[in-house]
Amino acid sequence: VSNQTSKLSKNFVESLFNYFEENKKENDTLVNESMWGEISDNFYYNILMLINKDKNNFTKILNNPSEYNLHWGFDENCKDLKKNYKSIQKKMFNFSIVDRLISLCEYINILKAYHPATSSLFSTNNIDINKLIIEIEKKLEINLNFKNVFPGEIGVQTNNGILVYKEIQAIYNALKIKELIQYKNLKEVKILEIGGGLGRTAYYCNKFGINNYTMVDILLPGISQANYLARSIDENSVKLVNNIEKNHDLNKIKISMPEKLFSKNIFFDIVFNSDSLVEIDHEFQKKYVKYITQNTNYFISINHECLKFSVYDLFSKTKYKKYQKSLFPLEKGYVEEIFEF
């Protein structure tokens, strides 16, 4: 469990607070008819009240987000998630981290794919996590540094820091974006991510040299992304913006609100979404579908299909040129889709 506490400059915290104040009213319309409405009522409302009561609470929440459940809905470092964290659950959670790491290594040909009919991977081989991480670094030509910028992160201890569950998928997500860029020979690429979780995919895209990156999300997740990325990379690499078009050519990670995106037609080479498009209000799903079909050539989706509308359902009547679907290699129940327009 991490106990590291990182710091932000007063100027950067002030910029986050100003963004918070400017977008509070707009945020209320974004969460009403989805699972995010319930999350907002149960967790975000209390956070908003604390900040409105005393501005100093804003900094306290940013420094120790798990104590306020700030990351509820998109990251595991939450106080209420860990309240009943029994030892058996912890063992299973750590096993799933190792399992996911091995799946990544199979995907990038560091390990041969496990064949259950003829082998028993965990009983016949010793898995050295630190050696696997070194091999991943060599294969992907990046340095892996799990910085654990917030206290309370739970994962597997490695020589590179504590490896948490979400980290491995973020590496995979960034790799898929990089692979599409290389396969299509795209130049000076502009990426849009819808949702974005804590910002881990943007972090690894930055490591791959993919620097012109825009994220759109509701208010507190967006602030959480800026909070994480500023501590993980540096404050100069991250910018909260209310005008996406004005900052479109800036080689930074830009974070904004969905309505700021819908108000203009701004072209992105690739749009990416993981584990969120199927969980938002249907009216906003339709807005995103319309925007994507008009303002990009490629849309990558990694989502489950257990709710009313799957990603394919949402795009099935659009005029896409090509479509491919495969099972997501890191987690059963998720599918990976690429639409070309």
Side-chain angles (χ1 to χ4, degrees):
V1 181
S2 65
N3 55 19
Q4 183 172 341
T5 302
S6 51
K7 292 184 178 180
L8 296 175
S9 70
K10 289 183 179 179
N11 286 341
F12 193 81
V13 172
E14 191 66 26
S15 70
L16 296 185
F17 185 77
N18 290 338
Y19 180 85
F20 169 80
E21 287 291 304
E22 290 168 5
N23 291 285
K24 279 192 299 187
K25 290 183 179 180
E26 179 180 316
N27 184 70
D28 292 338
T29 66
L30 299 176
V31 298
N32 291 334
E33 301 299 328
S34 69
M35 61 173 278
W36 291 99
E38 184 178 348
I39 290 172
S40 182
D41 290 342
N42 292 336
F43 298 101
Y44 296 166
Y45 178 79
N46 294 333
I47 293 171
L48 293 171
M49 291 301 100
L50 282 171
I51 297 169
N52 288 334
K53 183 178 179 180
D54 185 349
K55 181 182 175 181
N56 292 324
N57 287 330
F58 187 74
T59 304
K60 292 177 182 178
I61 293 167
L62 294 181
N63 286 335
N64 197 356
S66 68
E67 285 300 304
Y68 303 90
N69 293 311
L70 179 62
H71 298 164
W72 191 277
F74 56 89
D75 210 71
E76 280 80 20
N77 190 17
C78 298
K79 185 176 182 178
D80 283 16
L81 276 178
K82 294 181 285 189
K83 271 183 181 178
N84 301 310
Y85 200 59
K86 298 177 182 178
S87 59
I88 181 109
Q89 291 173 313
K90 184 176 181 180
K91 287 178 182 177
M92 290 303 294
F93 184 69
N94 287 342
F95 176 83
S96 69
I97 292 173
V98 177
D99 183 61
R100 185 172 266 210
L101 181 69
I102 289 171
S103 296
L104 176 65
C105 290
E106 290 173 342
Y107 176 76
I108 61 177
N109 289 318
I110 288 173
L111 294 174
K112 292 181 179 179
Y114 169 59
H115 185 219
T118 58
S119 61
S120 179
L121 183 61
F122 289 102
S123 62
T124 60
N125 292 296
N126 292 320
I127 301 300
D128 189 323
I129 292 174
N130 290 310
K131 286 184 178 179
L132 288 182
I133 291 171
I134 291 170
E135 291 301 313
I136 293 170
E137 289 180 314
K138 290 179 182 177
K139 188 82 173 186
L140 302 185
E141 298 180 335
I142 59 172
N143 294 320
L144 297 177
N145 184 2
F146 313 132
K147 293 187 177 181
N148 314 119
V149 295
F150 303 119
E153 291 190 270
I154 296 175
V156 176
Q157 183 67 59
T158 75
N159 293 340
N160 300 57
I162 297 171
L163 177 61
V164 301
Y165 186 71
K166 293 283 188 178
E167 199 94 30
I168 304 164
Q169 181 172 346
I171 297 170
Y172 178 87
N173 292 348
L175 179 60
K176 293 302 293 186
I177 293 171
K178 180 187 176 185
E179 287 176 339
L180 185 59
I181 291 170
Q182 292 176 332
Y183 179 67
K184 296 296 182 179
N185 196 28
L186 304 177
K187 305 296 183 183
E188 298 181 0
V189 179
K190 295 178 175 66
I191 306 294
L192 169 67
E193 183 175 6
I194 298 167
L198 193 59
R200 297 185 193 273
T201 299
Y203 171 75
Y204 282 103
C205 278
N206 183 269
K207 279 185 170 290
F208 282 129
I210 304 167
N211 299 318
N212 191 327
Y213 201 99
T214 301
M215 306 168 72
V216 290
D217 214 328
I218 57 178
L219 184 58
L220 288 181
I223 288 174
S224 299
Q225 291 152 11
N227 186 31
Y228 165 77
L229 290 164
R231 296 171 194 258
S232 301
I233 307 173
D234 59 67
E235 293 178 6
N236 292 326
S237 298
V238 186
K239 187 175 183 180
L240 286 159
V241 300
N242 283 319
N243 189 326
I244 297 175
E245 186 177 35
K246 183 180 178 181
N247 295 277
H248 194 45
D249 293 322
L250 198 62
N251 281 325
K252 290 179 183 279
I253 301 171
K254 289 92 63 180
I255 300 165
S256 193
M257 299 281 286
E259 289 293 2
K260 304 292 193 303
L261 178 74
F262 299 142
S263 64
K264 300 279 186 177
N265 283 319
I266 307 167
F267 182 83
F268 293 90
D269 299 276
I270 298 172
V271 177
F272 176 80
N273 175 257
S274 174
D275 207 12
S276 68
L277 187 59
V278 295
E279 297 175 349
I280 63 175
D281 169 61
H282 187 51
E283 290 306 310
F284 277 94
Q285 288 177 334
K286 291 190 287 186
K287 286 185 178 182
Y288 278 122
V289 170
K290 181 180 179 181
Y291 190 90
I292 289 167
T293 56
Q294 294 177 351
N295 294 288
T296 191
N297 289 331
Y298 305 99
F299 174 53
I300 305 173
S301 163
I302 300 174
N303 279 279
H304 56 74
E305 296 185 309
C306 64
L307 298 178
K308 186 175 182 180
F309 296 100
S310 68
V311 170
Y312 181 76
D313 291 335
L314 295 171
F315 283 88
S316 60
K317 294 180 181 179
T318 64
K319 296 180 180 179
Y320 56 83
K321 294 179 183 177
K322 294 181 181 179
Y323 168 75
Q324 66 182 64
K325 176 181 180 178
S326 58
L327 299 180
F328 178 50
L330 303 192
E331 185 171 350
K332 191 173 179 62
Y334 281 74
V335 296
E336 184 178 307
E337 298 161 286
I338 300 177
F339 296 83
E340 182 175 347
F341 301 99

